[in-house]
């Protein structure tokens, strides 16, 4: 990384937090499998540095989070399994309370000692949470009697909810270490990257990521497009995409993107700046048994679905990132849930993992899931695997995130 910028908000390291009761907002919105077990605990592990920091300083730690999008109380979305996993990872008990406010919480916090951890139930059992209801936030603050509010749920700071926004009206808010690291790493890559900066963008839809693509046209030295997003780009260029996933209503957006790109690098250099796949891996159906067939981008048959970038395009991606100092990757390069169509994403992961001198920043829920599985669950093969989906996209786009804005400003 280049020169570290100082963070614009106060963090837990800036305030006299020792021996205080602290209310931590985490993002424990973790994926659950069909049996209701936690299938990926990245977000829980990512919260440990802040928790350990607070516990080492004898804080009484009370944590709140949401899980999923329940409509009222829903036992299948209880945070209790998260309390158990957190206890294992921390190596100390985690008291679980079946509510977020009221007498149960008052009693639990009273009973809790310095150096203990209490996890409250799913905030979204109350519709007041997403409504950013001030009375609800006040009730949480009153029940916990917390001296500081610590925002460490990076994945949810793009939401203005009671636990990310209104709560700061009742308890002074500071950033946790995960939030600070996510913010600093992503902002640094967008604003002061070591160059060349290559953005690799893929995933399902152009329409999900318009502002991010536009930002990268501004800041990146090259942009590689893959995934179904590439289908939409190729269709815009006039290629027949057969039965592939294509967003046909994105023409005006692509027109804007290409106009901005031409203005930046010149019309003749546009196709070396925004790099589209030259070949594609196709199948007739999306299934475990569908074989990977590679065809040139101009030879997609009527019944073909393009599900991955082709082998020649994979070589181009690998060569392109080889010359980069910074790579920001968001969106899988194909239908990576199926191994036959995960070649592009896997070869990119391998390239990044074997060039540790390159700063690699990976964002997006599905992309983070993929690289974590790929490297055995730790994410250590990369510089930074973001815990944020929507939050990391919005931060990369240069948007202000309400959950960060509301925290106390750092003194200049
Ligand atoms: P992220 O969550 O990392 O931001 P997205 O949600 O945008 O990524 O995209 C990931 C999804 O896109 C995956 O479910 C993947 O199967 C799908 N996808 C990628 N490429 C294709 C393709 N060529 N055809 C259909 N689906 C695709
Ligand atoms: C996420 O997983 O992106 C965050 O936890 C936010 O969840 P939400 O999209 O349901 O608000
Ligand atoms: Mg996704």
């Amino acid at each position: 990384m280049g020169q570290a910028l100082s963070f614009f908000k106060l963090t837990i390291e800036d305030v006299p937090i020792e021996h205080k009761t602290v209310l931590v907002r985490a993002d424990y919105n973790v994926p659950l499998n069909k049996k209701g077990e936690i299938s990926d605990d990245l977000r829980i592990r990512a919260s440990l540095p802040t928790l350990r920091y607070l516990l080492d300083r004898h804080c009484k730690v009370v944590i709140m989070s949401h899980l999923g999008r329940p409509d009222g109380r829903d036992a299948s979305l209880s945070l209790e399994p998260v309390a158990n996993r957190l206890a294992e990872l921390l190596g100390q008990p985690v008291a679980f309370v079946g509510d977020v406010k009221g007498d149960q919480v008052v009693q639990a916090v009273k009973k809790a000692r310095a150096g203990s951890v209490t996890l409250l139930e799913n905030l979204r059992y109350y519709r007041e949470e997403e409504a950013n209801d001030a009375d609800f936030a006040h009730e949480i603050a009153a029940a916990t009697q917390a001296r500081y509010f610590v925002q460490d749920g990076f994945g949810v700071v793009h939401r203005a909810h009671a636990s990310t926004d209104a709560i700061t009206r009742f308890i002074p808010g500071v950033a946790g270490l995960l939030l600070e690291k996510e913010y600093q790493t992503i902002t640094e890559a967008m604003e002061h990257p070591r160059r060349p900066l290559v953005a690799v963008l893929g995933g399902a839809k152009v329409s999900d990521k318009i502002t991010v693509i536009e930002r990268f046209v501004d800041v990146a030295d090259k942009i590689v497009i893959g995934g179904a997003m590439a289908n939409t780009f190729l269709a815009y260029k006039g290629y027949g995409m057969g039965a592939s996933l294509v967003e046909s209503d994105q023409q005006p957006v692509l027109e804007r993107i290409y106009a901005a790109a031409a203005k930046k690098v010149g019309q003749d250099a546009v196709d070396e700046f925004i790099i589209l796949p030259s070949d594609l891996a196709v199948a007739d159906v999306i299934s475990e048994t569908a074989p990977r067939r590679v065809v040139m981008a101009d030879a997609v048959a009527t019944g073909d679905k393009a599900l991955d970038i082709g082998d020649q395009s994979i070589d181009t991606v690998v060569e392109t990132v080889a010359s980069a100092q910074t790579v920001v990757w968001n969106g899988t390069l194909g239908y990576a849930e199926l191994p036959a169509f995960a070649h592009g994403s896997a070869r990119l992961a391998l390239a990044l993992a074997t060039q540790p001198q390159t700063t690699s920043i990976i964002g997006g829920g599905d992309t983070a899931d993929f690289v974590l599985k790929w490297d055995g669950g730790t994410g250590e093969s990369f510089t930074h695997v973001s815990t944020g989906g929507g939050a990391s996209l919005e931060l990369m786009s240069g948007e202000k995130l309400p959950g960060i804005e509301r925290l106390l400003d750092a003194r200049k």
Side-chain angles (χ1 to χ4, degrees):
M1 296 254 109
Q3 184 66 44
L5 301 163
S6 66
F7 189 39
F8 75 118
K9 292 294 175 180
L10 290 183
T11 77
I12 51 175
E13 295 177 319
D14 301 320
V15 293
I17 213 157
E18 293 78 8
H19 298 283
K20 303 290 194 301
T21 299
V22 173
L23 178 60
V24 178
R25 176 56 158 108
D27 183 356
Y28 290 155
N29 186 25
V30 292
L32 303 173
N33 65 21
K34 288 188 189 103
K35 290 189 227 149
E37 299 158 342
I38 297 162
S39 57
D40 165 20
D41 62 4
L42 173 72
R43 284 177 165 179
I44 308 177
R45 283 185 287 110
S47 74
L48 298 177
T50 290
L51 300 181
R52 293 206 171 107
Y53 181 95
L54 297 171
L55 294 171
D56 285 348
R57 282 156 190 78
H58 316 284
C59 293
K60 198 191 266 196
V61 177
V62 182
I63 311 173
M64 58 178 174
S65 176
H66 72 285
L67 176 59
R69 295 174 176 174
D71 187 12
R73 265 190 189 267
D74 175 349
S76 71
L77 291 174
S78 169
L79 279 166
E80 194 161 11
V82 171
N84 299 334
R85 176 65 63 90
L86 179 59
E88 277 167 34
L89 292 169
L90 270 177
Q92 75 170 67
V94 172
F96 178 72
V97 183
D99 210 336
V100 297
K101 62 187 183 71
D103 199 46
Q104 265 195 70
V105 177
V106 173
Q107 296 311 325
V109 176
K110 239 183 226 158
K111 227 174 65 192
R113 293 170 190 266
S116 69
V117 180
T118 303
L119 176 64
L120 308 181
E121 186 51 289
N122 191 346
L123 286 156
R124 290 193 186 169
Y125 283 0
Y126 291 91
R127 46 147 224 90
E128 290 87 343
E129 161 64 359
E130 289 180 81
N132 198 9
D133 185 289
D135 294 335
F136 176 68
H138 182 253
E139 286 179 293
I140 298 172
T144 58
Q145 288 290 307
R147 175 66 184 79
Y148 288 106
F149 165 67
V150 175
Q151 178 54 272
D152 211 28
F154 174 70
V156 75
V157 289
H158 58 315
R159 307 288 185 215
H161 292 170
S163 66
T164 62
D165 180 351
I167 192 75
T168 60
R169 294 168 52 181
F170 308 106
I171 316 176
V174 298
L177 303 175
L178 172 64
L179 176 62
E180 181 185 22
K181 177 166 156 242
E182 290 269 15
Y183 182 90
Q184 294 291 81
T185 308
I186 293 172
T187 307
E188 181 111 342
M190 301 304 291
E191 292 179 4
H192 308 277
R194 293 193 303 135
R195 291 185 183 276
L197 164 65
V198 173
V200 182
L201 302 175
K205 289 176 170 179
V206 169
S207 57
D208 284 345
K209 299 186 180 173
I210 298 168
T211 53
V212 166
I213 305 170
E214 289 178 330
R215 182 93 195 274
F216 277 118
V217 170
D218 245 16
V219 306
D221 297 296
K222 277 193 166 56
I223 302 174
V224 175
I225 307 280
M229 187 186 278
N231 301 345
T232 297
F233 273 75
L234 289 167
Y236 170 78
K237 292 254 176 186
Y239 292 84
M241 294 309 295
S244 308
L245 182 58
V246 170
E247 283 180 290
S248 49
D249 59 350
Q250 294 300 305
Q251 250 88 346
V253 172
L254 292 193
E255 224 156 82
R256 216 162 63 216
I257 288 168
Y258 274 102
K263 196 164 162 213
K264 175 171 172 170
V265 300
Q267 188 62 50
D268 294 344
V270 161
D271 293 330
E272 285 106 72
F273 174 55
I274 299 179
I275 302 172
L276 302 183
S278 53
D279 60 350
L280 297 160
V282 301
D284 313 335
V285 282
I286 301 178
S287 94
E288 291 282 353
T289 52
R292 175 185 177 87
R293 257 190 308 121
V294 175
V295 301
M296 294 311 289
D298 62 3
V300 176
T302 325
D304 283 344
K305 294 181 198 299
L307 297 174
D308 194 7
I309 60 173
D311 301 357
Q312 184 179 297
S313 306
I314 292 175
D315 289 338
T316 305
V317 174
V318 171
E319 277 161 34
T320 307
V321 300
S323 61
Q325 296 277 340
T326 306
V327 176
V328 180
W329 175 17
N330 188 296
T332 55
L333 295 184
Y335 198 98
E337 293 89 338
L338 296 179
F341 304 101
H343 291 206
S345 302
R347 286 278 306 281
L348 175 57
L350 178 65
L352 298 177
T354 50
Q355 51 185 88
Q357 72 287 0
T358 305
T359 301
S360 53
I361 298 176
I362 295 165
D366 291 293
T367 315
D369 273 2
F370 178 83
V371 301
L372 286 171
K373 279 197 195 99
W374 182 88
D375 90 338
T378 61
E380 276 160 18
S381 306
F382 312 97
T383 309
H384 184 67
V385 180
S386 178
T387 57
S392 68
L393 280 178
E394 289 193 25
L395 184 55
M396 284 178 190
S397 305
E399 283 160 45
K400 287 199 189 314
L401 305 175
I404 302 181
E405 293 303 314
R406 303 297 175 269
L407 304 176
L408 297 175
D409 287 323
R411 283 169 282 268
K412 294 270 156 53

